[in-house]
Amino acid sequence: MEEKAPDTSRISITAHHTGYTWYAHGLSHRALTTSLGGLLYHGLNPFMRAGRLLLGVSDIETYLVQRHLILDHLMDREVSRYGKIQVLEMASGLSPRGMRFCARHEGRGLTYVEADLPAMAARKRRVMEQNGLLRPGHSIATVNLLAASGPESMESVFARYLSPDTRTVVVTEGIINYFPLPTVLAFWRRIAETLSLSGGGTYLADNMPELSTWAGRRLIRPAKRMVELAARGRTFLHFQRPVQARQALLLAGFASADVHRPESFFETLAIPRSRKPSFIQVLEASAPGKE
């Protein structure tokens, strides 16, 4: 009998908050928001404003928009470099990225697959179809990141929706800090192996690191506590230094890896800034395809 993967549905509640955040910043459609998302967004705002004014910290809202737009930029760069690609965005929640990406690159024959847990995937598919937001090549699938086999596994979604001969970008936004490091490393190994056995590609993600200095901990721990409150559970900080994240990605089987800081995009992207250095990392790792 096949072992059922653990339920990760507690994570989905944060999708309501992030979905409303994208909308509040003009990045999304009203249909991809919920009343719960609005309640969380407006409920957290007084605390985030206080953090910005009193401490100059990068609050959750700044962090969300920074990572989202940087990931968008890196995906567009993949299109510029390689032409026809396909995208698998897992744990996509109410993200508008697929909608906006397909609109920007309409007519180029690109494939975009969003995947999430069953309830969220069904909800998103319904609202996207009802509002005419699904374009050709854009699909919504069901996935459980922790399922190593079966119809809800990443490998199954890849086999059913994507071409084995086309370069693939795999995106997981706002997800890896919900899992302990061994779980993350096992998932990275599966992604690297899947890309290596197909047409190759790039993995994109964000990470909230464990900062070793007192000043760093002062910046990141309030954000961590707010995320845990919204997610109704523990979160995990991974890697004190960028070199540790790079090494972990290489050990997982990727051929190359980079760790980006938001500050390096301030002159090229219209992303929000804070008085203090941003605490987030954007991870980029590549795997060559089969020969």
Side-chain angles (χ1 to χ4, degrees):
M1 182 177 180
E2 183 178 310
E3 183 179 354
K4 187 175 179 60
D7 180 18
T8 58
S9 58
R10 75 169 178 93
I11 298 169
S12 292
I13 191 171
T14 61
H16 295 269
H17 175 259
T18 55
Y20 201 92
T21 300
W22 311 149
Y23 176 72
H25 285 264
L27 300 173
S28 189
H29 190 282
R30 180 74 186 186
L32 293 176
T33 68
T34 65
S35 56
L36 174 58
L39 182 65
L40 290 169
Y41 178 82
H42 293 293
L44 287 173
N45 259 348
F47 300 99
M48 291 190 286
R49 283 199 299 270
R52 285 195 294 264
L53 292 173
L54 299 176
L55 302 175
V57 301
S58 293
D59 56 78
I60 290 178
E61 187 172 1
T62 299
Y63 162 46
L64 292 176
V65 178
Q66 283 179 341
R67 81 183 191 196
H68 195 75
L69 293 177
I70 292 171
L71 289 169
D72 280 358
H73 169 72
L74 295 177
M75 288 174 57
D76 288 339
R77 193 170 70 181
E78 287 283 306
V79 177
S80 298
R81 286 177 174 176
Y82 300 101
K84 186 175 180 179
I85 65 168
Q86 53 193 6
V87 180
L88 173 59
E89 182 175 3
M90 292 184 284
S92 58
L94 294 168
S95 167
R97 175 175 290 113
M99 173 189 73
R100 290 173 27 246
F101 184 86
C102 291
R104 284 198 306 276
H105 301 290
E106 189 171 17
R108 303 190 66 166
L110 306 184
T111 297
Y112 201 107
V113 180
E114 297 188 59
D116 211 318
L117 294 166
M120 179 58 74
R123 178 178 193 150
K124 191 167 193 179
R125 185 183 301 109
R126 182 176 67 254
V127 299
M128 295 283 283
E129 290 175 345
Q130 289 174 347
N131 290 274
L133 301 178
L134 281 177
R135 295 173 181 264
H138 188 184
S139 304
I140 312 292
T142 298
V143 75
N144 186 327
L145 301 181
L146 303 185
S149 61
E152 292 186 0
S153 68
M154 173 194 67
E155 292 82 354
S156 178
V157 172
F158 199 102
R160 285 184 287 126
Y161 287 89
L162 301 173
S163 166
D165 300 317
T166 303
R167 184 176 181 85
T168 304
V169 176
V170 176
V171 186
T172 59
E173 180 178 9
I175 197 69
I176 67 173
N177 291 109
Y178 290 113
F179 300 110
L181 188 56
T183 301
V184 173
L185 297 178
F187 180 55
W188 284 356
R189 285 191 290 270
R190 289 169 52 207
I191 295 175
E193 181 179 13
T194 300
L195 292 176
S196 297
L197 294 175
S198 60
T202 297
Y203 171 58
L204 299 173
D206 62 287
N207 177 51
M208 189 183 296
E210 174 64 81
L211 300 181
S212 58
T213 65
W214 181 86
R217 291 194 298 270
R218 184 168 174 261
L219 288 175
I220 203 168
R221 285 184 175 176
K224 179 178 183 288
R225 283 194 288 269
M226 283 192 282
V227 172
E228 289 177 333
L229 178 64
R232 300 174 299 173
R234 185 182 176 190
T235 59
F236 302 85
L237 303 179
H238 303 308
F239 315 116
Q240 289 187 355
R241 293 173 293 153
V243 65
Q244 295 172 322
R246 284 194 294 269
Q247 289 172 344
L249 287 162
L250 294 175
L251 288 173
F254 292 99
S256 62
D258 290 302
V259 179
H260 302 288
R261 293 290 305 276
E263 286 81 1
S264 64
F265 296 95
F266 282 168
E267 302 304 319
T268 56
L269 298 179
I271 59 176
R273 307 186 186 195
S274 60
R275 299 203 311 267
K276 303 290 185 180
S278 177
F279 55 75
I280 69 164
Q281 300 171 339
V282 175
L283 312 180
E284 180 180 19
S286 295
K290 59 185 179 182
E291 296 183 357

